């Protein structure tokens, strides 16, 4: 049954028969399923990230037409110490930071493109999104009391869902979507907080994650993310009877 935090405890999963008479999953079976799920996740990540091992890069549609040229210019500017705000090679030049999609000032772009070869940094930017989605969804589902093998399977389903895979050429779209599980996790901690430290820490994490999304430069996906967060916060606050905490978020 639910524990003190209102989450389904593991005892409710493992002990006794369910309402429909199903046998519970034993710890040995759960560990086996958990390992199988991790093997599947690793294989899928390897499938997405194989160019890193082959010394190649993805160039399909927007990756080759937009993102790669911009990041080549960006990496060269970082390595030589030149400015990267103005891109002179197209349309008689335009303000690259104003265009927004390159995410020029995001720390996870500044550091790799300054220190790593272009192909490695580019592939890392692509694959890290799927790793973050998988890990974030796994953590969120575990917070909800979902068994760890099922939580990992949920992470796999979200990370490699049609939306995220079909948008692989839109780097910043998937990167912004990767924040959503972590933001829902921060909201969950904030609304369920029972001590004076958890709430402010969760709110700071939520603010930093929002800033991170905005630095990646795709306001439509940020807006969609905010709609999901607002809906979750409202429903959870209503269920917990803590609507007074909503303004803090």
């Amino acid at each position: 049954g639910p524990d003190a935090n209102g989450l389904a405890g593991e005892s409710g999963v493992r002990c006794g028969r369910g309402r429909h008479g199903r046998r519970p999953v034993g710890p040995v079976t759960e560990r086996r399923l958990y390992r199988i799920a991790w093997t599947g996740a690793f294989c899928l990540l390897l499938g997405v990230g194989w160019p890193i091992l082959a010394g190649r890069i993805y160039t399909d549609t927007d990756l080759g037409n937009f993102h790669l040229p911009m990041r080549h210019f960006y990496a060269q500017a970082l390595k030589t110490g030149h400015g990267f705000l103005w891109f002179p090679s197209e349309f008689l030049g335009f303000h690259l930071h104003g265009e927004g999609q390159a995410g020029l000032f995001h720390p996870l772009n500044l550091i790799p493109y300054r220190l790593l070869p272009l192909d490695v940094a580019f592939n890392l930017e692509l694959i890290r999104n799927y790793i973050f989605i998988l890990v974030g969804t796994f953590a969120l589902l575990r917070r909800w009391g979902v068994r760890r093998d099922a939580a990992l399977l949920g992470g796999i389903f979200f990370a490699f869902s049609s939306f995220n895979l079909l948008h692989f050429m839109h780097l910043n779209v998937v990167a912004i979507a990767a924040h959503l599980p972590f933001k829902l996790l921060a909201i969950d901690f904030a609304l369920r907080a029972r001590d004076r430290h958890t709430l402010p820490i969760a709110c700071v994490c939520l603010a930093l994650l929002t800033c991170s999304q905005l630095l990646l430069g795709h306001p439509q996906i940020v807006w969609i993310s905010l709609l999901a967060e607002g809906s979750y916060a409202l429903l959870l606050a209503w269920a917990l009877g803590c609507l007074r905490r909503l303004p803090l978020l």
Side-chain angles (χ1 to χ4, degrees):
D3 61 13
N5 291 324
L7 302 172
E10 291 187 354
S11 60
V13 175
R14 296 181 179 175
C15 299
R17 290 178 177 267
R19 290 184 180 179
H20 303 289
R22 300 179 197 171
R23 291 185 177 277
V25 175
V28 176
T29 303
E30 181 183 338
R31 283 196 298 270
R32 185 180 298 117
L33 292 173
Y34 187 57
R35 291 168 185 164
I36 292 172
W38 268 119
T39 302
F42 177 78
C43 291
L44 288 168
L45 289 171
L46 189 63
V48 173
W50 71 267
I52 296 177
L53 303 178
R56 305 176 68 181
I57 56 176
Y58 288 107
T59 58
D60 187 52
T61 60
D62 281 4
L63 289 176
N65 297 331
F66 176 81
H67 290 291
L68 185 58
M70 301 304 162
R71 280 155 178 77
H72 176 265
F73 166 76
Y74 178 53
Q76 290 297 111
L78 287 173
K79 289 178 171 63
T80 59
H82 293 133
F84 50 74
L85 298 181
W86 183 262
F87 184 72
S89 302
E90 290 185 3
F91 310 119
L92 300 179
F94 66 92
H95 199 280
L96 187 57
H97 181 55
E99 195 280 337
Q101 295 188 72
L104 301 178
F105 289 102
H106 198 287
L108 291 183
N109 288 340
L110 282 168
I111 296 172
Y113 284 102
R114 172 67 177 84
L115 301 178
L116 300 175
L118 175 63
D119 59 334
V120 176
F122 193 68
N123 285 325
L124 180 63
E125 183 180 2
L126 188 147
I127 195 173
R128 77 186 182 209
N129 298 330
Y130 297 95
I131 296 174
F132 287 157
I133 295 173
L134 192 153
V135 172
T137 305
F138 172 76
L140 178 63
L141 294 177
R142 287 295 289 163
R143 172 70 176 172
W144 290 349
V146 177
R147 209 175 61 226
R148 61 178 183 169
D149 55 323
L152 182 56
L153 188 61
I156 292 172
F157 283 158
F158 184 35
F160 302 101
S161 63
S162 59
F163 176 86
N164 290 318
L165 283 182
L166 292 177
H167 279 287
F168 82 98
M169 74 288 293
H170 305 133
L171 290 173
N172 50 343
V173 169
V174 184
I176 292 171
H179 290 67
L180 182 57
F182 294 101
K183 297 185 79 175
L184 295 181
L185 191 61
I187 291 171
D188 195 284
F189 271 101
L191 293 179
R192 297 183 190 273
R194 297 192 174 186
D195 59 77
R196 61 193 181 106
H197 301 295
T198 303
L199 178 58
I201 291 174
C203 290
V204 168
C205 290
L206 186 60
L208 290 175
L209 288 167
T210 302
C211 291
S212 175
Q213 286 182 312
L214 293 171
L215 284 174
L216 291 168
H218 202 287
Q220 300 96 312
I221 303 301
V222 176
W223 171 244
I224 293 172
S225 175
L226 290 173
L227 288 176
E229 297 158 36
S231 300
Y232 180 70
L234 182 61
L235 291 173
L236 184 60
W238 180 272
L240 297 176
C242 58
L243 290 172
R244 65 185 182 279
R245 289 191 179 182
L246 284 179
L248 299 176
L249 303 178

